[in-house]
Amino acid sequence: MRIFSFIMILAALVTVSCSRNDSRRFTLDGRTVNGRTSQVAYLYRYLPGYGKVQMLDSAAIEDGRFRFEGICDTEPVEAYVRFGGDDFIAAFVLTPGRFAMNAGKNGYYVSGNYESTRISRLVCLQNDVTIRRAALRNEYSSALADSTLTRAKSDSLFAAYRGLSHRLSDEASAAIADSTASAAFRSLARRLFYHATEVAATDTLR
């Protein structure tokens, strides 16, 4: 009887342990797209108490696909996937659950929780604003070089340029200051987009 009771208690403890681990489990299924040809991916988490990152795992990329899985904290954590061969990094907020990542040559998108998706959208906005501001600078320089830059055209280009800068700045500032978001999200937003909030005040076509 004592042996039977011991076995039942042990089984119960194992069940509780497995349940706790299941509640902390995560998986990240990734794809490389749009010309990214990396052969390996590395998963890191940020350790705020030490001010540095810790590598959690690495995964081979086969046929454009890779996977990370494991146990993580229940509290949101800043996380990064770095791809071998260059310095490209995809940042997201790691929590228990299932994630999907598409990583291209110059951008990425992560789904799995709201905060990771919000970070991805901000990255997409930042890339779009960078491209469109470069086009406006080129248009301004070309018009200036061939003497077709009128006051009206100059004002129009400046307004469009400043509008892009302020749109990114407003979105980034809102993310950084969002008191309803996790500390990991706000920290990650500050790390990635703080420069955008400063550029809006000084950036110019010239």
Side-chain angles (χ1 to χ4, degrees):
M1 185 66 179
R2 289 181 179 177
I3 294 176
F4 177 76
S5 298
F6 175 76
I7 291 173
M8 293 301 293
I9 292 171
L10 182 61
L13 290 173
V14 170
T15 300
V16 170
S17 177
C18 290
S19 297
R20 287 176 178 172
N21 283 342
D22 286 343
S23 69
R24 296 171 54 203
R25 184 168 295 280
F26 75 89
T27 60
L28 189 156
D29 289 301
R31 296 174 60 229
T32 53
V33 298
N34 299 334
R36 175 157 291 284
T37 58
S38 307
Q39 301 301 308
V40 63
Y42 304 91
L43 176 64
Y44 298 84
R45 69 169 178 173
Y46 180 70
L47 302 173
Y50 298 92
K52 61 182 182 180
V53 296
Q54 174 190 38
M55 192 174 85
L56 299 177
D57 201 0
S58 63
I61 301 175
E62 299 178 353
D63 298 324
R65 296 180 180 274
F66 60 94
R67 166 175 269 215
F68 294 109
E69 55 186 336
I71 304 298
C72 67
D73 295 334
T74 55
E75 289 296 314
V77 175
E78 290 181 61
Y80 304 85
V81 173
R82 182 177 67 83
F83 294 89
D86 59 33
D87 295 326
F88 180 80
I89 292 176
F92 66 106
V93 179
L94 179 62
T95 56
R98 298 179 63 88
F99 293 83
M101 173 184 288
N102 285 344
K105 201 152 190 177
N106 299 305
Y108 68 93
Y109 195 88
V110 179
S111 61
N113 59 36
Y114 171 72
E115 292 187 341
S116 293
T117 299
R118 189 176 177 187
I119 288 290
S120 296
R121 287 174 177 166
L122 279 169
V123 169
C124 289
L125 174 61
Q126 182 172 251
N127 291 343
D128 180 61
V129 166
T130 299
I131 292 169
R132 292 171 65 185
R133 284 193 305 201
L136 289 170
R137 280 196 298 269
N138 288 338
E139 186 177 353
Y140 178 88
S141 297
S142 296
L144 187 64
D146 59 21
S147 301
T148 60
L149 184 66
T150 63
R151 178 62 180 270
K153 185 169 186 176
S154 176
D155 289 346
S156 176
L157 291 172
F158 266 92
Y161 192 90
R162 298 287 289 171
L164 289 171
S165 296
H166 280 286
R167 181 188 172 195
L168 177 58
S169 175
D170 290 346
E171 294 278 357
S173 296
I176 292 169
D178 189 350
S179 61
T180 66
S182 69
F185 172 85
R186 295 195 304 272
S187 176
L188 187 55
R190 187 179 302 109
R191 202 178 311 284
L192 294 176
F193 308 113
Y194 182 74
H195 179 65
T197 67
E198 294 184 319
V199 166
T202 58
D203 203 9
T204 179
L205 276 169
R206 297 191 181 93

